Amino acid sequence: MAPGAPSSSPSSVLAALLFSSLVLPPAQAIVVYTDREVHGAVGSRVTLHCSFWSSEWVSDDVSFTWRYQPAGGRDAISIFHFAKGQPYIDEVGTFKERIQWVGDPRWKDGSIVIHNLDYSDNGTFTCDVKNPPDIVGKTSQVTLYVFDKVPTRYGVVLGAVVGGVLGAVLLLLLLFYLVRFCWRRRQAALRRRLSAMEKGKLHKSGKDSSKRGRQTPVLYAMLDHSRSTKAASEKKSKGLGESRKDKK
């Protein structure tokens, strides 16, 4: 250190670092999203999706740039650019009059459509987004495969198989619970019917016993009446016999 130069203490350095970390906003990189790959048939069209995330509001100066690198090629060429609210489409290259802008910067969407696909379109497409002041970030790439007929993806087949299996399992579970519900309902109806029959039997036996209880005194009364009638008739006949003897 030169003589007379002001010395900086460690405490001042720490204070400066703390001030910068608290006051200055941290730099956040813009993040761009695309599909990993897309498939298309010859003569058809495909949509190359591109979206982004930024810590800043969508600026009026937001820009989207699409570049194309042919399969097996080394150099990438610019085929589309969007800036200042206007799309600029390549009018002299391979994709002349075949690119359509379908994005919307307000929704952070920078997608394009490529019409009338050809085998020569196979390659890698790169989407680059700038949203000033957020201009630092990595691009995102999507690979285009052009076929005579778009093949069925393994993931689609696997998803269909898994979905079918899950549907069959759900159907079996539904049938199981339906049968179980019907069986329980039938068992409950049978129990109610048996309970009603048992109550009916008890009620009927109670009626019979009460009826028998009422009939017993009547029977005794009838027996007493018959006995008294018989005794009276016997007494009467005996009196008549004695009167006949007296007359003689």
Side-chain angles (χ1 to χ4, degrees), residues 15-35:
L17 292 175
L18 180 62
F19 175 80
S20 61
S21 63
L22 292 176
V23 176
L24 298 178
Q28 296 185 5
I30 191 170
V31 182
V32 183
Y33 304 97
T34 62
D35 296 322

Side-chain angles (χ1 to χ4, degrees), residues 54-241:
S54 174
S55 59
E56 303 290 338
W57 292 98
V58 178
S59 171
D60 293 335
D61 295 328
V62 63
S63 65
F64 299 89
T65 302
W66 280 95
R67 296 182 180 87
Y68 167 67
Q69 181 179 352
R74 294 184 178 181
D75 298 328
I77 58 174
S78 177
I79 59 174
F80 176 84
H81 185 69
F82 179 94
K84 301 293 183 180
Q86 294 294 326
Y88 299 93
I89 302 173
D90 180 20
E91 296 182 354
V92 295
T94 307
F95 298 97
K96 178 183 179 181
E97 298 179 352
R98 292 198 295 140
I99 295 180
Q100 178 185 359
W101 165 250
V102 293
D104 189 343
R106 295 173 299 176
W107 296 98
K108 300 181 179 181
D109 184 8
S111 304
I112 60 174
V113 174
I114 299 179
H115 295 268
N116 193 20
L117 291 177
D118 190 76
Y119 291 114
S120 59
D121 297 333
N122 283 298
T124 302
F125 294 80
T126 303
C127 180
D128 186 15
V129 183
K130 306 295 183 184
N131 184 40
D134 194 358
I135 59 175
V136 179
K138 292 183 178 180
T139 59
S140 184
Q141 295 180 342
V142 52
T143 303
L144 172 64
Y145 297 96
V146 182
F147 302 93
D148 285 330
K149 183 178 179 181
V150 178
T152 303
R153 296 184 181 181
Y154 174 76
V156 175
V157 176
L158 181 61
V161 172
V162 172
V165 172
L166 290 177
V169 172
L170 291 176
L171 181 61
L172 291 175
L173 287 175
L174 180 62
L175 291 175
F176 170 76
Y177 282 109
L178 181 61
V179 171
R180 185 179 179 184
F181 171 76
C182 294
W183 181 80
R184 287 187 172 182
R185 188 174 181 182
R186 185 175 180 182
Q187 292 296 319
L190 290 175
R191 283 195 293 268
R192 287 195 297 269
R193 188 177 299 176
L194 291 175
S195 178
M197 292 175 64
E198 291 177 356
K199 289 181 179 179
K201 289 181 180 179
L202 292 175
H203 186 65
K204 186 177 181 180
S205 62
K207 283 185 176 180
D208 293 341
S209 61
S210 61
K211 186 176 180 181
R212 291 172 185 172
R214 288 194 301 269
Q215 288 178 353
T216 301
V218 175
L219 292 175
Y220 282 118
M222 292 176 65
L223 290 174
D224 292 341
H225 179 71
S226 62
R227 288 175 182 173
S228 61
T229 304
K230 185 178 181 181
S233 61
E234 288 179 353
K235 187 176 182 181
K236 185 177 181 181
S237 62
K238 186 176 181 180
L240 290 175

